[in-house]
Amino acid sequence: MNFKCSHDNCFRDISCAMGHTKRTECKHWAQDSHASNQHQVSGESEAPQSTSDIPWNGRALGTSDFAVLGGRGRPAVVGLIGPPGSGKTSLLAYLYMWLLEHGTLAGWTFAGSWTLGGWESVVQHSRWTSEPPPSFPPHTSSTGHDPGILHFVLRNQETRRLHDVLLTDAPGEWFNQWSRVPDSPASVGARWVVERADALLVLVDTGALSDREKLPEARRATRDLMERVGAQAICQTGVVWTKNDISLEDGVSETIETAAGEFLPAAETMRTTIRNPDTIEECFAWAIGAATARIPMRIEPEPRLSHDPFLALRRSRESL
Ligand SMILES: Nc1nc2c(ncn2[C@@H]2O[C@H](COP(=O)(O)OP(=O)(O)O)[C@@H](O)[C@H]2O)c(=O)[nH]1
Ligand SMILES: [Mg+2]
């Protein structure tokens, strides 16, 4: 059956956004006459089947999926920005593996995720299940306009409050394009990340800077990216030197540090390597702390209109 629904938030692999168990009963269902003729000719049943009975599928979230999160409050968004191959997906894979191993991260306790399937697909290349041994994640696809968004619920150990945290894993090509031509239609995904992030991690690829052939291009791309982030970002920013196990020739890191000081003077500088997962934990502890700090934790209490529980409920319903 062809999937034909006019509702913006209705997708083939999850249940009807309007709550209908049979999609054909929904007013947004729009089966065209050509499709229905085809079904009659082929003898196929007209009754559509959804592949899931619940409104999410566990994979990385797209921007249309935020409705499932919105009820609990505004999630904190951590945006990872960096050229292709700078180590964004690896950082996320190590973050997930850290949480699997420890269950906590710097004052936060893991309390759930809407994207366990998405996290599993990020780490599947890093697990040692059999031969061949684990390798690094494959290239993150640059097709589409929505970043793949991964989700955690974390509970603050001090306040006991829950926070939804979203982490973007967008393809590096988006950011290269955005740093050169920020208004181009191809930069829409990168703009989405930068405009919505509550904390940004700008990755500096030590591996690319250590390669004599790649150095001129990597240095220019890193500088361009920092300049663009400095001009457009309105949230706290961290500069993350990834692959810190690789050493650089004299003068290379100084050039990038000068650019960071010029364009991102308030940024926090961090260095990570997958050889030492503690460095990755520290990086996300900073990012999650900075992102959640922007979201008020205090909930304003409703005025109490009666001390009788029944009347209190009635009064609050009347005032709706
Ligand atoms: N030496 C070293 N290599 C790393 C490290 N992190 C990632 N890499 C390498 O960088 C490549 C690209 O990483 P990936 O996470 O896919 O980058 P992305 O394109 O930014 O998502 C990987 O395949 C690894 O070869 C690190 O800490 N040290
Ligand atoms: Mg990637």
Side-chain angles (χ1 to χ4, degrees):
M1 181 196 65
N2 289 338
F3 181 77
K4 297 210 174 290
C5 182
S6 59
H7 195 289
D8 287 346
N9 288 333
C10 218
F11 301 101
R12 177 192 298 274
D13 60 339
I14 53 177
S15 60
C16 168
M18 303 300 287
H20 291 277
T21 43
K22 284 188 180 167
R23 286 191 194 271
T24 42
E25 286 171 6
C26 179
K27 66 177 180 180
H28 297 283
W29 183 254
Q31 190 130 356
D32 65 18
S33 54
H34 176 66
S36 59
N37 284 344
Q38 273 190 335
H39 289 308
Q40 276 161 16
V41 170
S42 65
E44 259 183 89
S45 158
E46 291 246 332
Q49 297 288 319
S50 65
T51 47
S52 168
D53 291 336
I54 48 174
W56 82 97
N57 58 22
R59 296 198 287 272
L61 298 170
T63 49
S64 316
D65 300 320
F66 292 153
V68 294
L69 285 174
R72 189 157 42 201
R74 188 165 87 72
V77 181
V78 176
L80 275 74
I81 294 189
S86 54
K88 298 178 293 298
T89 308
S90 302
L91 283 188
L92 291 170
Y94 276 74
L95 168 65
Y96 179 65
M97 290 196 288
W98 178 280
L99 284 171
L100 281 179
E101 188 180 346
H102 301 273
T104 61
L105 182 134
W108 299 92
T109 304
F110 175 80
S113 168
W114 288 93
T115 59
L116 285 175
W119 285 111
E120 282 294 319
S121 68
V122 166
V123 296
Q124 63 176 325
H125 299 274
S126 313
R127 281 225 173 89
W128 198 325
T129 44
S130 61
E131 293 302 322
S135 64
F136 290 100
H139 181 67
T140 310
S141 160
S142 63
T143 55
H145 292 294
D146 289 351
I149 297 166
L150 294 161
H151 170 250
F152 279 137
V153 192
L154 298 174
R155 186 181 291 283
N156 187 297
Q157 289 169 354
E158 209 174 297
T159 63
R160 309 297 303 154
R161 291 248 162 85
L162 288 177
H163 258 297
D164 286 294
V165 178
L166 301 174
L167 299 118
T168 66
D169 185 20
E173 289 85 351
W174 287 7
F175 299 108
N176 279 352
Q177 174 67 22
W178 172 74
S179 64
R180 286 192 296 263
V181 196
D183 297 328
S184 96
S187 305
V188 66
R191 280 204 305 275
W192 190 98
V193 175
V194 175
E195 284 165 10
R196 293 193 180 51
D198 295 300
L200 281 173
L201 295 173
V202 180
L203 273 61
V204 176
D205 184 350
T206 313
L209 293 171
S210 70
D211 182 328
R212 279 203 182 159
E213 268 181 35
K214 290 187 190 160
L215 175 61
E217 168 60 22
R219 196 165 38 199
R220 196 181 54 78
T222 307
R223 222 186 114 86
D224 286 355
L225 194 59
M226 287 178 169
E227 185 171 5
R228 187 64 66 199
V229 173
Q232 309 223 329
I234 46 164
C235 61
Q236 285 206 61
T237 305
V239 172
V240 185
W241 293 71
T242 55
K243 313 181 194 177
N244 194 40
D245 48 289
I246 300 173
S247 47
L248 291 176
E249 284 191 13
D250 287 347
V252 176
S253 60
E254 286 77 1
T255 322
I256 303 294
E257 276 160 11
T258 308
E262 187 180 341
F263 301 123
L264 301 167
E268 180 86 7
T269 303
M270 290 162 278
R271 293 177 193 275
T272 62
T273 166
I274 53 170
R275 307 257 162 95
N276 180 3
D278 288 8
T279 59
I280 297 175
E281 191 244 7
E282 278 164 31
C283 167
F284 282 108
W286 177 84
I288 291 167
T292 51
R294 288 187 87 201
I295 297 167
M297 298 274 276
R298 212 159 67 86
I299 299 169
E300 294 297 335
E302 291 281 320
R304 185 160 195 166
L305 301 177
S306 167
H307 285 278
D308 179 296
F310 176 70
L311 290 180
L313 179 69
R314 242 168 65 120
R315 289 291 288 276
S316 73
R317 290 185 75 82
E318 277 168 8
S319 63
L320 285 176

